[in-house]
Amino acid sequence: MAPESDRQSQRPHAIFIPYPLQGHVIPSVHLATHLASRGFTISFVNTHAIHHQTSNAHSADVDGDIFSGVRKSGLDVHYSTISDGLPVGFDRSLNHDQFMRSLLHVFSAHVEEEVERIVKTASSRGEAPVTCLIADTFFVWPSKVAKKFNLLYISLWTEPALVFTLYYHLNLLRQNGHFACQAFIYALVLAHPAIGGFLTHCGWNSILESIWCNVPLLCFPLLTDQFTNRKLAVEDWAVGINLRDGRQISKEGVSEKIKRLMDAKSGAPYRDAVTQVRKTLENAVKPNGSSDRGMNQFINDLNATISNECGAKLAEDHIKSVNNGF
């Protein structure tokens, strides 16, 4: 049997950079944990602000490290935090444009510095060498960072595939006239038997968590993918009621819809629909379900790509050493 140090050095090692908004961090943590459970070494880089927000929400449980629990189970996950370029107490939601500029021009520099530190640390300690960089698709600069350090780059999309398709074909849709122009542990609350409905802005995490807990939705989207998510919930799956079906929203209209959702008779179709959609989710994550097969294919492809690139690099180094010998 190979020594533990040899086995560690043979692990694929991924640096993970989530987009610093809670709705993006949650699925990133899930994927990072899953990859670690499949034999990856993970270096997860969070921002000071999101870490502070999470620590406050979870009290003393994650004061130092949000992965401390999974690490106790034997998973190889490293955790660090860096600045996004703004003070921790700065209100990013009220100063959105300044936050975006900081992510583009300042945060990217901090990420590059942290990636360099992780790569050098792994090398100096004889740990698994860093092989790939996984970063949120919302960033525009990670591919350059990955190229600088000779890392495989994986772009992670955390919203529905439908929304990705719409963004991808946005220009085509416009040309054809289709367009006119704080952290909270939802799952623990949604799972309570007293909950009969969920008023949501239609973030993707909120919708999935609500369906998983068999709770129908009152949908009030605000921006970006949330309007498409509402369409899926209200029109396609029939698991919720749309609160924004007109320019003006009256208290009478809101009251009527709440009563319709909560009533034993009129709310039954929504509860039945949620149960059916949940079965689809359960089937997807079962062994050999669609989600499980997709994850297996992703990991197999990633390992194969890493092996091919490592093999090509060894061959290149060998050629260089032979040439240097003449």
Side-chain angles (χ1 to χ4, degrees):
M1 181 178 293
E4 179 64 22
S5 59
D6 290 345
R7 293 200 301 273
Q8 288 285 345
S9 64
Q10 294 169 4
R11 288 172 175 261
H13 185 170
I15 298 177
F16 219 116
I17 313 292
Y19 198 77
L21 292 175
Q22 198 66 31
H24 292 252
V25 173
I26 290 172
S28 298
V29 169
H30 289 167
L31 178 58
T33 303
H34 191 83
L35 289 175
S37 73
R38 300 289 293 269
F40 278 69
T41 292
I42 299 293
S43 292
F44 195 94
V45 182
N46 207 353
T47 65
H48 297 328
I50 290 293
H51 176 78
H52 178 75
Q53 182 178 334
T54 305
S55 298
N56 287 342
H58 289 258
S59 186
D61 294 340
V62 292
D63 278 346
D65 187 339
I66 62 175
F67 289 97
S68 58
V70 299
R71 193 178 297 108
K72 290 176 182 177
S73 67
L75 301 187
D76 190 12
V77 183
H78 307 271
Y79 179 69
S80 61
T81 64
I82 60 176
S83 172
D84 61 9
L86 296 168
V88 170
F90 183 82
D91 194 326
R92 289 152 178 80
S93 61
L94 294 180
N95 299 277
H96 181 267
D97 290 347
Q98 189 173 348
F99 180 39
M100 293 298 103
R101 286 194 296 270
S102 183
L103 292 182
L104 179 62
H105 300 295
V106 183
F107 181 57
S108 56
H110 290 305
V111 167
E112 184 173 324
E113 187 177 59
E114 182 67 4
V115 169
E116 182 176 20
R117 183 194 68 80
I118 294 170
V119 169
K120 288 182 176 179
T121 299
S123 177
S124 65
R125 294 180 178 175
E127 299 172 348
V130 179
T131 48
C132 58
L133 175 68
I134 304 176
D136 199 294
T137 309
F138 271 42
F139 293 125
V140 299
W141 40 257
S143 60
K144 294 182 179 179
V145 176
K147 185 176 182 180
K148 178 177 179 178
F149 296 99
N150 197 29
L151 303 176
L152 178 66
Y153 171 52
I154 297 100
S155 179
L156 174 63
W157 182 258
T158 60
E159 294 180 352
L162 174 60
V163 176
F164 178 84
T165 303
L166 291 173
Y167 284 158
Y168 188 80
H169 296 289
L170 191 58
N171 288 333
L172 181 63
L173 291 168
R174 282 175 174 162
Q175 290 169 12
N176 288 275
H178 293 291
F179 291 96
C181 53
Q182 308 239 2
F184 190 68
I185 312 173
Y186 292 107
L188 295 180
V189 177
L190 289 170
H192 196 281
I195 303 299
F198 180 30
L199 172 60
T200 174
H201 68 305
C202 295
W204 192 233
N205 289 309
S206 300
I207 287 180
L208 292 180
E209 289 163 356
S210 190
I211 291 173
W212 193 258
C213 294
N214 280 322
V215 177
L217 304 160
L218 287 167
C219 299
F220 194 89
L222 300 173
L223 71 166
T224 62
D225 67 308
Q226 296 162 13
F227 295 97
T228 305
N229 298 343
R230 175 190 60 184
K231 177 191 179 300
L232 292 173
V234 174
E235 299 178 20
D236 295 12
W237 304 333
V239 298
I241 296 174
N242 181 20
L243 286 182
R244 295 191 69 171
D245 52 4
R247 291 191 174 184
Q248 292 186 338
I249 301 172
S250 66
K251 63 180 181 181
E252 292 81 11
V254 172
S255 176
E256 184 275 325
K257 290 175 181 178
I258 292 174
K259 290 177 180 177
R260 191 199 321 166
L261 189 73
M262 300 298 289
D263 182 79
K265 184 177 181 180
S266 61
Y270 302 104
R271 290 187 287 275
D272 292 342
V274 167
T275 300
Q276 292 303 313
V277 176
R278 175 179 166 136
K279 289 180 180 178
T280 301
L281 296 182
E282 290 175 336
N283 290 333
V285 298
K286 285 180 179 178
N288 205 38
S290 60
S291 180
D292 185 58
R293 293 196 305 272
M295 179 59 69
N296 289 336
Q297 186 64 55
F298 167 68
I299 292 175
N300 289 338
D301 290 346
L302 182 56
N303 280 324
T305 304
I306 291 172
S307 297
N308 290 338
E309 292 206 351
C310 289
K313 188 175 187 304
L314 287 173
E316 182 182 350
D317 291 343
H318 176 69
I319 292 172
K320 287 180 179 178
S321 64
V322 171
N323 289 338
N324 289 335
F326 286 101

